[in-house]
Amino acid sequence: VKLLKPNTPDYLKQEAIYCLWMLGDRRGANSLARIALDRTRESDQTRLMATEALGNNVRKPFIQRILAQAVLDPYVGVRKSALCAVGRLHD
């Protein structure tokens, strides 16, 4: 979770996102949400990974709102990831 800061290089941040995603770890939910919507500081690839990871391990109302915003993202990869994540929420 400590690697999910804006100044962390993309490759390390992406590895941390992947680990949280596969482990289903909820501790990084707030950071994943921030990354998913931060178009100014985060790369498209990092944002799409964070978006999809949210659907794998978090079922909180604020995550539903984040994913609803991500469905409208200008980058098609983030939009697709948001749709996949929403499908896994089971809400």
Side-chain angles (χ1 to χ4, degrees), residues 4 6 9 14 20 36 42 46 55 59 65 69 73 78 81 86-87:
L4 299 180
Q14 290 171 8
L20 289 170
E42 303 294 348
T46 302
R59 284 155 181 67
R65 290 190 297 276
Q69 291 177 36
D73 195 273
V78 172
S81 292
V86 167

Side-chain angles (χ1 to χ4, degrees), residues 30-48:
N30 291 330
S31 295
L32 292 174
R34 180 199 51 80
I35 291 167
L37 298 180
D38 190 352
R39 290 190 301 241
T40 58
R41 290 185 285 188
E42 303 294 348
S43 71
D44 290 340
Q45 181 65 30
T46 302
R47 291 184 320 105
L48 78 83

Side-chain angles (χ1 to χ4, degrees), residues 10-63:
D10 276 350
Y11 73 96
L12 287 176
K13 196 177 309 179
Q14 290 171 8
E15 290 297 324
I17 291 168
Y18 185 76
C19 289
L20 289 170
W21 186 356
M22 292 296 111
L23 291 172
D25 193 323
R26 296 175 183 217
R27 289 177 291 176
N30 291 330
S31 295
L32 292 174
R34 180 199 51 80
I35 291 167
L37 298 180
D38 190 352
R39 290 190 301 241
T40 58
R41 290 185 285 188
E42 303 294 348
S43 71
D44 290 340
Q45 181 65 30
T46 302
R47 291 184 320 105
L48 78 83
M49 289 179 70
T51 301
E52 195 153 347
L54 286 170
N56 200 43
N57 62 14
V58 178
R59 284 155 181 67
K60 295 181 179 182
F62 90 94
I63 294 303

